[in-house]
Amino acid sequence: MNYQRIVPHLWFDDEAEEAAAFYTEIFPSSNHIHTCVFPDTPSGDAEQVTFELMGYRFTAINAGPYFTKNPAISFLVTYAPIELEQMENVWEKLLEDGEALMPFQSYPFSEKYGWVQDKYGVSWQLLMTDETQAGRMIPAFMFINDNLGKAGEAVEFYTDVFKGSKTDGVYNYPDGMEPNLPSHVMHGEFELENQHFSIMDSAEQHDFNFNEGISLMINAEDQDEIDYYWDKLSAVPEAEQCGWIKDRYGVSWQILPKVMDDMAEHGTPEQLERLTASFLRMKKFDIAELEQAFEGNAED
């Protein structure tokens, strides 16, 4: 894919590198990109790992036992019928020491489908589809509890905020699928920054919701984009810290300058130390100040 503007971010206690190695071994066309350490954070030295699965970029960080990942955001992986054996192998590996949330079997909507939460707490949906839709890695939102019934509204909100956006289809539950109602979204697909996302409502009882365990990083081109996404998305002032915000539905986002990815990949330990000290003082990131700190030109 072209440059990925929105990157899922996975929060770990101390298993980020181990988990990244596990995932890159399971999924084809996958690789480790780089590892860096942000020193002296409130969680200590925070190791960050960037990797690709099926050409789709993820970031994972070791930052302490503060957040638990859950299925409110999962990752939908699509397969063609001829890839059934590969799909079965991936399922079996993800299921090891994990939990099947929906059994791997045939359903009215797919010849083969399963939903699994792996041993690291990350949830995956494996879906057999036609060849034109296969080979995709899609973040999937589940709207539950206080968010129930808001999935359709959220599609309109997100596609209005983000560039390169469109709705690919929103389908409601039919009659007779209580506790889900015909007003609830059974399945929706949309694109943000030309990347695919999925969404659904679920009226089942769940003891979790969106949190910082899985967030979405926006790589902004410049300060104007940082300001734009911050103003459009931030809805919980007390959650604003170090580039992090929460939107009106409780989804966590990180709004970062694109240049910061290059700093993390190529910076020296000294540069990363200055960068970290600088961004820890910020809520919304200031690119000019970050660049000055990275280069050692920051004012006291």
Side-chain angles (χ1 to χ4, degrees), residues 250-271:
V251 177
S252 290
W253 300 82
Q254 298 180 58
I255 305 175
L256 313 175
K258 180 180 176 181
V259 68
M260 197 166 171
D261 194 45
D262 186 65
M263 293 178 185
E265 184 171 358
H266 302 293
T268 66
E270 292 77 16
Q271 288 174 318

Side-chain angles (χ1 to χ4, degrees), residues 51-113:
F51 57 100
E52 286 185 350
L53 305 180
M54 297 168 52
Y56 190 88
R57 182 169 286 213
F58 288 79
T59 295
I61 194 167
N62 288 328
Y66 301 107
F67 303 108
T68 302
K69 297 174 287 298
N70 66 62
I73 296 180
S74 58
F75 299 98
L76 176 66
V77 190
T78 59
Y79 293 87
I82 61 172
E83 298 172 317
L84 176 59
E85 183 177 355
Q86 178 190 130
M87 187 182 184
E88 290 174 335
N89 289 337
V90 171
W91 172 266
E92 291 300 327
K93 290 176 181 176
L94 290 173
L95 188 59
E96 293 174 4
D97 299 319
E99 177 186 2
L101 304 181
M102 290 182 67
F104 187 65
Q105 61 186 37
S106 295
Y107 291 88
F109 55 85
S110 177
E111 290 183 29
K112 280 289 184 180
Y113 168 86

Side-chain angles (χ1 to χ4, degrees), residues 105-228:
Q105 61 186 37
S106 295
Y107 291 88
F109 55 85
S110 177
E111 290 183 29
K112 280 289 184 180
Y113 168 86
W115 192 337
V116 58
Q117 188 170 40
D118 69 31
K119 59 186 175 183
Y120 300 107
V122 181
S123 297
W124 308 86
Q125 300 182 61
L126 307 188
L127 174 73
M128 181 177 287
T129 184
D130 63 72
E131 292 186 5
T132 62
Q133 304 295 317
R136 293 179 176 175
M137 184 78 66
I138 304 172
F141 299 95
M142 181 165 60
F143 275 53
I144 54 178
N145 304 330
D146 291 345
N147 282 323
L148 178 63
K150 297 180 182 178
E153 168 197 314
V155 172
E156 295 182 5
F157 173 68
Y158 291 135
T159 53
D160 181 62
V161 168
F162 285 87
K163 304 169 187 175
S165 300
K166 67 176 182 177
T167 302
D168 295 327
V170 175
Y171 308 95
N172 287 25
Y173 286 93
D175 289 324
M177 293 192 69
E178 291 78 5
N180 294 294
L181 305 177
S183 60
H184 297 160
V185 172
M186 181 171 66
H187 177 73
E189 291 193 11
F190 57 103
E191 297 177 32
L192 308 177
E193 294 285 355
N194 303 306
Q195 296 173 223
H196 292 275
F197 292 81
S198 174
I199 199 166
M200 66 178 290
D201 285 307
S202 174
E204 304 294 338
Q205 293 298 311
H206 301 282
D207 61 356
F208 56 82
N209 215 327
F210 299 122
N211 69 8
E212 292 86 345
I214 299 179
S215 59
L216 297 166
M217 298 167 55
I218 303 171
N219 290 306
E221 292 287 345
D222 51 33
Q223 191 65 46
D224 285 344
E225 279 200 349
I226 289 178
D227 296 344
Y228 170 81

